């Protein structure tokens, strides 16, 4: 996938209320502005990478890219599970992510248990793969240290590599 690593940043919005949190795996949904700029070669499926909320710490994450039922499956959704236990929800905050690799395509499961097991396997795979030096490097990318506070549409103050990549799409 030529677009990886892919940098994205935007507001966390309310999702479709599919109860991810009840499964113990909450997913922070990106606003349309972020989803609309996703390159065409980033297909649906499960990805892994790094994420940070606001100016906080950078954590490992898994992201699901799927077809959004709200738009009658004509538009993608991007849902990030940050591998960290947060004290509070962070709706309305700015989430910064870099997707570094692909885990698997989307599929449907015969039971809730099977789905939860699959997600937990994804999380384990993400944790392991992100320890590779080439991936660890991206955790320290200045994309994360340059996280802006809203409003978002301020021009970047310095032309970092990641900003160039992000703006290149
Ligand atoms: P929604 O349908 O609104 O996306 P979820 O059940 O998927 O609801 O919960 C997502 C929300 O949970 C996020 O928007 C965020 O505010 C909160 N949250 C708490 N911990 C996490 C986490 N580790 N990863 C992602 N979101 C989290
Ligand atoms: Mg969600």
């Amino acid at each position: 996938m030529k677009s990886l690593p892919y940098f994205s940043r935007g507001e966390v919005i309310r999702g479709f209320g599919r109860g991810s949190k009840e499964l113990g795996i909450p997913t922070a949904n990106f606003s349309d502005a972020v989803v609309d700029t996703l390159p065409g070669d980033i297909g649906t499926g499960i990805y892994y990478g790094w994420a940070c909320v606001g100016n906080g710490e950078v954590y490992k994450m898994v992201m699901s890219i799927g077809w959004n039922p709200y738009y009658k499956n004509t538009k993608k959704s991007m849902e990030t599970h940050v591998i960290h236990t947060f004290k509070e929800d962070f709706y309305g905050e700015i989430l910064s992510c870099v997707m570094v690799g692909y885990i698997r395509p989307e599929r449907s499961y015969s039971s809730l248990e099977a789905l939860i097991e699959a997600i937990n396997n994804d999380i384990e795979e993400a944790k392991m793969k992100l320890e590779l030096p080439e991936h660890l490097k991206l955790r320290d990318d200045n994309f994360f240290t340059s996280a802006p506070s809203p409003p978002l549409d301020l021009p970047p103050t310095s032309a970092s590599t990641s900003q160039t990549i992000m703006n290149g799409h």
Side-chain angles (χ1 to χ4, degrees):
M1 235 171 268
K2 68 170 174 52
S3 296
L4 297 182
Y6 183 71
F7 294 84
S8 49
R9 172 177 290 153
E11 193 182 336
V12 175
I13 58 156
R14 292 205 173 261
F16 213 54
R18 279 177 292 192
S20 324
K21 208 177 281 169
E22 285 70 40
L23 306 182
I25 312 153
T27 59
N29 293 48
F30 265 135
S31 65
D32 291 352
V34 179
V35 181
D36 288 345
T37 51
L38 202 57
D41 76 314
I42 304 262
T44 59
I46 314 298
Y47 293 79
Y48 62 91
W50 301 100
C52 98
V53 178
N55 295 309
E57 235 179 281
V58 181
Y59 299 108
K60 292 173 177 176
M61 63 82 163
V62 287
M63 187 193 288
S64 159
I65 298 195
W67 293 108
N68 194 332
Y70 185 81
Y71 294 101
K72 301 198 164 74
N73 301 336
T74 55
K75 206 166 167 175
K76 285 171 187 168
S77 68
M78 296 168 77
E79 303 188 20
T80 305
H81 173 67
V82 186
I83 306 175
H84 176 75
T85 306
F86 291 87
K87 288 200 189 78
E88 288 176 347
D89 286 352
F90 45 86
Y91 289 112
E93 296 217 34
I94 301 301
L95 179 69
S96 299
C97 292
V98 56
M99 292 151 67
V100 310
Y102 179 75
I103 300 182
R104 62 175 175 90
E106 279 191 298
R107 49 161 294 196
S108 51
Y109 293 90
S110 50
S111 70
L112 206 55
E113 287 71 31
L115 170 67
I116 294 173
E117 196 188 325
I119 299 171
N120 284 325
N121 288 338
D122 297 337
I123 291 171
E124 287 315 307
E125 187 172 337
K127 281 184 181 167
M128 229 165 55
K129 292 232 169 106
L130 287 163
E131 289 301 320
L132 293 169
E134 73 212 74
H135 295 334
L136 277 173
K137 214 170 58 195
L138 283 159
R139 180 190 59 190
D140 302 322
D141 193 282
N142 59 13
F143 171 71
F144 289 115
T145 45
S146 67
S149 341
L152 273 179
D153 46 7
L154 291 173
T157 47
S158 65
S160 76
T161 333
S162 52
Q163 277 163 340
T164 309
I165 293 168
M166 199 170 107
N167 297 335
H169 289 286

